[in-house]
Amino acid sequence: MTDARGNARPNGEAPAPHPPGTPCWVSLMVHGLEATEKFYGALFGWEFRPGPEQLGPYVRALRDGHAVAGVGVLPPDRRLPIAWTPYFASDDVNATADAVRSCGGTIGVGPLDAGDAGRLAIGSDPGGAVFGIWQPATHTGHALTGTPGTPAWNELTTYESAPVAKFYGTVFGHDGERTVSADLDHVTLHLDGRPVAAVHGLGRALPRDRGPHWTTYFAVADTDDAVERVRHLGGRVLRPPRDGDRGRSALVADPEGARFAVVKSPR
């Protein structure tokens, strides 16, 4: 799990860019923007401001005045899954998109400009898990991580961790550290010696209706309280709170079905 920290600078200066390969943003595409704002606003204390609309209506979620996530509206003619998507920072989204293709992944959207905010692409790894690529301009990504109401961690669930970890290592420069266990297929992705994400292989136990997918963990002050609020706000609890090496976490879904996790770090 990443430490509770941010990249916002003092005196109102623009946040520093995230190093290439770092998870720098999370975004959600939904059908009902107003209802989604109401749910996450009540759950995480987010406020919302208009963002780039190259792909349709889009808002940025703010926590304590800092942008932490994005929410957009799915085109009515597209039958796409409602899911949180992590974005990885890049100095050159075109070159990164080429690397994705050459390593067996696909690019489904872009590369394209998002106004003056930056440049993006959305792709999938060889297993089919969807992720984004972000080349910043005026918008560098989330300015806070690990504090309540902000992204804390991203974990990929797939069939086998080794080949997929190699893909992300080649494309984004991650170093993989395998968990030594006969019963657990797990790799932590590091960048410059710092853990930035994880890959968890489930083999045939991976639900066929889900397939490989990324899960974003959002930090909360109290996991059990957050789960009760999810229920009260019309969401679902998919895995009740439990303690683990990275803290007390639970897997939940919002009213439209987008899955995410809430976690309170043990630190």
Side-chain angles (χ1 to χ4, degrees):
M1 195 78 68
T2 52
D3 294 333
R5 65 187 187 90
N7 69 336
R9 293 179 174 180
N11 303 319
E13 296 180 30
H18 295 264
T22 305
C24 65
W25 190 242
V26 290
S27 190
L28 173 66
M29 302 296 286
V30 300
H31 296 295
L33 184 57
E34 183 177 348
T36 299
E37 289 182 7
K38 183 177 180 180
F39 174 83
Y40 287 100
L43 180 61
F44 293 137
W46 289 352
E47 298 179 342
F48 298 89
R49 299 290 183 273
E53 297 193 352
Q54 274 66 27
L55 299 178
Y58 189 84
V59 295
R60 289 178 183 156
L62 279 65
R63 172 74 184 199
D64 298 328
H66 298 286
V68 296
V71 183
V73 176
L74 277 170
D77 59 339
R78 290 196 177 185
R79 295 183 176 274
L80 298 174
I82 308 297
W84 281 99
T85 300
Y87 282 70
F88 295 88
S90 170
D91 283 339
D92 186 335
V93 69
N94 291 64
T96 304
D98 287 341
V100 168
R101 296 187 187 99
S102 67
C103 292
T106 60
I107 296 296
V109 177
L112 56 84
D113 292 326
D116 61 357
R119 190 164 170 78
L120 68 86
I122 301 174
S124 57
D125 64 32
V130 176
F131 63 92
I133 308 165
W134 182 253
Q135 179 182 336
T138 60
H139 176 61
T140 59
H142 48 59
L144 295 174
T145 61
T147 59
T150 70
W153 188 246
N154 291 282
E155 183 157 303
L156 171 62
T157 304
T158 188
Y159 293 106
E160 295 182 37
S161 67
V164 180
K166 182 178 180 181
F167 167 84
Y168 287 96
T170 303
V171 173
F172 293 111
H174 300 150
D175 294 317
E177 180 184 4
R178 177 169 295 279
T179 299
V180 180
S181 172
D183 303 320
L184 185 65
D185 180 14
H186 189 274
V187 173
T188 301
L189 302 178
H190 290 77
L191 197 65
D192 297 327
R194 181 171 61 90
V196 295
V199 182
H200 186 50
L202 290 182
R204 293 184 178 180
L206 183 70
R208 299 186 68 177
D209 62 333
R210 288 284 295 152
H213 60 277
W214 281 94
T215 299
T216 295
Y217 286 66
F218 291 96
V220 293
D222 186 307
T223 303
D224 295 78
D225 178 66
V227 165
E228 288 306 311
R229 278 184 284 143
V230 167
R231 287 196 182 101
H232 177 73
L233 294 167
R236 292 181 295 136
V237 178
L238 306 176
R239 190 192 70 216
R242 67 184 186 191
D243 296 318
D245 293 339
R246 301 189 183 279
R248 186 164 178 79
S249 67
L251 183 66
V252 298
D254 69 20
E256 282 205 26
R259 300 181 179 212
F260 61 98
V262 291
V263 61
K264 174 177 170 55
S265 172
R267 291 190 296 270

